[in-house]
Amino acid sequence: MSLSPVLALHRLTKVYPGLTANDQVDLSVLPGEIHAVLGENGAGKSTLMKMVYGVVQPSSGDITWKGRRVRIASPMEARRLGIGMVFQHFSLFESLTVAENTQLFLNDGRSLNEIHQSLTELSANYGIDVNPGRHVHDLSVGERQRVEILRCLLQTPKLLILDEPTSVLTPQEVDRLFTMLRRLSAEGCAILYISHKLQEIRSLCHRATVLQQGRVTGRCDPSQETESSLAEMMIGKANAMAIVTRQARESAPADSVPRSTPSQGDGLVVRNLSTESSDPYGVSLRDISFQVRPGEILGLAGVSGNGQRELVRALSGELRLPLTMASAIQIQGQPAGQWPVSRRRRAGLCVIPEDRLGTGAVPDFSLEENALLTGLYTQPFVSRFGLLCYSEVQDFAQRIISRFRVKCQSTQSPARSLSGGNLQKFIVGREVLQQPCVLVCAQPTWGVDVGAAAELRQALKNLRDSGCAILLISEDIDEIFGLADQVVVAFEGRLSSPQPIEQTSTTNLGLLMAGIWQSDRQAGPLQASGSDLLEDRQMQGPVT
């Protein structure tokens, strides 16, 4: 006997002024099914999920829940029905603890102690490390993702919606998440899964619905498709072929792909940088030392929450260092540890932070205003009379939009109106087009589709080849291998010794991420054998 859908959408449509986000979408999800929703940035995936979760109301069409037509007026109503959602952009109060955020979210009468205990048990059960007593403002993006997932699971949902759940998780965490999702599926929970990582879709999902410009353009069994065919369904044949060609070039043996030779200049130098965290749950940096030369990309890998966020804050100037650390950071050969943000930017430093809505952009500001925020120090925005040349600001914002194909209504669109991937493209483009001498970028392709990720990675390569020194902080191991010339690993506020990327492997990096190198500081990081390197290279596949 065939199962009846737990959720069915019929001709669901959402129209905004000047934009049709979803156009007569039909979709059904069976109990226990993991159903992928595919599409490039701006295709309407997140808007569709928000209608199911009651965040926005449809302009027309029907939602049927367990055979009954329903109007889901709010997220509270969705949760009452048994629908849970983990958003791509987190909805957490930064001044509250993890347990306090969860108590507000559930609003079911459970005490704070009960919430704390439930989170601890669920965390241990699913292997998702979260401290319920820690304040959200001290959590990295990856740690916040874990909080969103756990507090959603406390509802015991009948339908779980996941919007880019693995974007900021390590490979080990992804494996644990997939184990958890398969277990939920076996228990009868339906799952709607949004991801741009096509290998995940193929290995995890039972069915897929493809959206283009808000309309359903295809349905398939992902396990019967290739990554190329899925990409073609999402973004068209011509774009997919270009990506496949680029992937083949990137995955070729290292000795067959010419790389630029780093110069012997200064770029970014960090020597014996140490900071003390004022937060008892934070991470103190201990004797951090590395160098990124002009024309080089240094990859920094590691499990989220091992000091990456604190390092970016120290490098950007957001975290002011004591006078004794004035020479711990050098930009272009000059001691910059005591410099404010403005002086560092004028010296040629640009930063792509991991938190795009909050640190990377002001949600209520227009794209023009967000371009002004960092471009003020490098672009001709101010006349010799001290007046703001707004036409220059508008032109800069338009160049970002055109060069990186950001989908928006105009340069005056507020940042919050963009999809997550399009906002990420705008922020990366804003920093890249300033032609920095030094670029610090954290999670540069988080939440962008396969085509946009390839374009952003190519932009970073082009910037490197022009002589920029780039520190790439990423939890995507494939991204590290596809872009970096050398790699270091963060663990508990320390860094491993740098290794040439062609002399390491995912096995080696996994050991370093677990802190194995800490057991013998003098011996340095472990080295992989030749067979390990060959096996890992075969398993990694191309970078997308």
Side-chain angles (χ1 to χ4, degrees):
M1 184 177 67
S2 61
L3 295 174
S4 298
V6 64
L7 174 77
L9 311 180
H10 180 63
R11 302 179 71 86
L12 206 63
T13 300
K14 180 60 182 178
V15 179
Y16 293 103
L19 172 69
T20 300
N22 292 120
D23 189 1
Q24 302 188 68
V25 173
D26 290 339
L27 184 149
S28 64
V29 189
L30 301 174
E33 178 185 29
I34 305 178
H35 193 118
V37 180
L38 294 175
E40 61 182 329
N41 296 128
K45 306 182 300 296
S46 293
T47 300
L48 187 66
M49 297 304 102
K50 288 177 181 178
M51 285 192 284
V52 174
Y53 194 57
V55 176
V56 299
Q57 296 302 305
S59 302
S60 63
D62 297 328
I63 299 176
T64 301
W65 176 255
K66 295 184 177 180
R68 180 172 61 91
R69 182 179 173 185
V70 295
R71 177 181 179 271
I72 305 176
S74 68
M76 184 177 294
E77 174 66 15
R79 290 194 291 271
R80 188 187 67 79
L81 290 172
I83 302 172
M85 181 169 180
V86 178
F87 287 90
Q88 184 178 358
H89 292 141
F90 310 137
S91 52
L92 300 168
F93 292 97
E94 301 215 351
S95 61
L96 301 181
T97 66
V98 171
E100 289 167 341
N101 267 283
T102 304
Q103 186 181 44
L104 284 175
F105 175 77
L106 295 175
N107 192 29
D108 60 1
R110 277 186 267 187
S111 69
L112 201 58
N113 286 337
E114 290 173 322
I115 294 291
H116 195 288
Q117 181 64 28
S118 296
L119 283 172
T120 301
E121 293 174 356
L122 198 63
S123 176
N125 188 26
Y126 287 115
I128 303 177
D129 186 27
V130 168
N131 187 321
R134 193 169 174 186
H135 284 86
V136 168
H137 65 78
D138 291 317
L139 300 180
S140 68
V141 170
E143 291 169 312
R144 296 182 192 204
Q145 178 73 290
R146 298 174 208 163
V147 174
E148 291 276 12
I149 292 173
L150 281 177
R151 72 175 189 174
C152 193
L153 289 179
L154 283 181
Q155 306 171 64
T156 316
K158 302 300 181 185
L159 170 67
L160 180 60
I161 304 171
L162 298 171
D163 193 351
E164 296 290 350
T166 65
S167 296
V168 290
L169 299 180
T170 65
Q172 295 91 336
E173 290 173 319
V174 170
D175 289 341
R176 289 195 293 268
L177 175 65
F178 282 10
T179 299
M180 177 192 72
L181 294 180
R182 291 186 178 109
R183 194 163 89 192
L184 288 171
S185 170
E187 294 169 354
C189 179
I191 299 169
L192 276 170
Y193 191 88
I194 299 175
S195 176
H196 292 114
K197 299 181 179 180
L198 301 183
Q199 71 275 17
E200 292 181 0
I201 299 296
R202 293 183 64 239
S203 67
L204 180 68
C205 299
H206 304 124
R207 284 196 299 157
T209 297
V210 183
L211 298 179
Q212 285 189 23
Q213 297 181 343
R215 297 182 67 91
V216 174
T217 57
R219 307 181 197 276
C220 68
D221 176 351
S223 65
Q224 302 302 310
E225 301 289 336
T226 65
E227 291 183 26
S228 296
S229 66
L230 287 175
E232 183 177 328
M233 294 175 69
M234 288 172 54
I235 60 178
K237 185 173 183 178
N239 288 332
M241 287 297 295
I243 292 169
V244 169
T245 302
R246 187 180 295 120
Q247 289 174 350
R249 185 169 60 248
E250 290 176 341
S251 60
D255 58 1
S256 69
V257 181
R259 284 186 181 266
S260 61
T261 302
S263 76
Q264 297 302 313
D266 294 300
L268 174 66
V269 178
V270 177
R271 291 176 179 163
N272 305 119
L273 172 63
S274 296
T275 65
E276 290 293 333
S277 175
S278 58
D279 173 34
Y281 299 109
V283 178
S284 297
L285 301 180
R286 300 297 185 198
D287 298 319
I288 298 292
S289 295
F290 62 87
Q291 178 179 4
V292 193
R293 294 175 293 170
E296 179 182 60
I297 297 179
L298 175 65
L300 195 159
V303 177
S304 179
N306 274 281
Q308 298 97 319
R309 181 168 175 263
E310 288 80 1
L311 179 59
V312 172
R313 294 182 66 217
L315 295 175
S316 68
E318 182 183 354
L319 176 65
R320 295 296 294 272
L321 302 178
L323 187 60
T324 55
M325 290 283 112
S327 299
I329 298 174
Q330 296 182 22
I331 300 173
Q332 300 272 72
Q334 301 182 67
Q338 283 280 293
W339 288 0
V341 173
S342 57
R343 187 172 178 185
R344 297 184 197 207
R345 283 193 167 271
R346 289 191 178 98
L349 172 72
C350 283
V351 179
I352 299 168
E354 65 174 6
D355 181 12
R356 55 179 169 240
L357 265 183
T359 307
V362 179
D364 292 327
F365 279 17
S366 69
L367 297 182
E368 293 174 358
E369 292 167 328
N370 274 290
L372 174 64
L373 288 178
T374 67
L376 177 64
Y377 306 108
T378 64
Q379 302 301 302
F381 291 165
V382 180
S383 72
R384 61 191 179 93
F385 302 109
L387 300 176
L388 181 65
C389 300
Y390 210 81
S391 61
E392 293 284 352
V393 178
Q394 188 177 45
D395 177 68
F396 181 58
Q398 187 58 56
R399 281 194 288 125
I400 298 170
I401 292 168
S402 300
R403 165 66 179 79
F404 289 88
R405 297 194 293 179
V406 179
K407 292 184 179 179
C408 61
Q409 287 188 285
S410 72
T411 60
Q412 296 181 353
S413 299
R416 70 164 64 254
S417 69
L418 272 63
S419 69
N422 277 293
L423 181 57
Q424 184 72 11
K425 289 193 288 184
F426 183 84
I427 292 171
V428 173
R430 179 186 63 189
E431 304 304 302
V432 168
L433 289 189
Q434 293 180 53
Q435 289 295 308
C437 300
V438 177
L439 177 66
V440 176
C441 57
Q443 319 301 339
T445 59
W446 174 40
V448 302
D449 62 57
V450 60
E455 291 178 357
L456 294 182
R457 287 167 178 157
Q458 188 59 50
L460 293 178
K461 288 183 176 182
N462 293 343
L463 195 61
R464 174 199 64 190
D465 293 343
S466 71
C468 181
I470 301 177
L471 175 63
L472 169 67
I473 301 172
S474 178
E475 293 163 27
D476 186 334
I477 298 299
D478 288 342
E479 186 163 75
I480 293 286
F481 275 101
L483 292 179
D485 300 288
Q486 295 195 82
V487 60
V488 295
V489 175
F491 182 78
E492 294 184 349
R494 296 182 184 272
L495 292 187
S496 66
S497 301
Q499 300 181 72
I501 198 68
E502 66 272 9
Q503 295 179 17
T504 190
S505 67
T506 54
T507 300
N508 191 22
L509 288 187
L511 292 171
L512 296 175
M513 290 165 69
I516 302 300
W517 59 280
Q518 292 279 22
S519 62
D520 187 354
R521 294 286 295 169
Q522 300 304 316
L526 298 174
Q527 297 295 322
S529 68
S531 59
D532 285 338
L533 292 172
L534 177 59
E535 180 181 358
D536 279 340
R537 289 297 186 195
Q538 292 171 340
M539 292 176 63
Q540 286 161 21
V543 175
T544 59

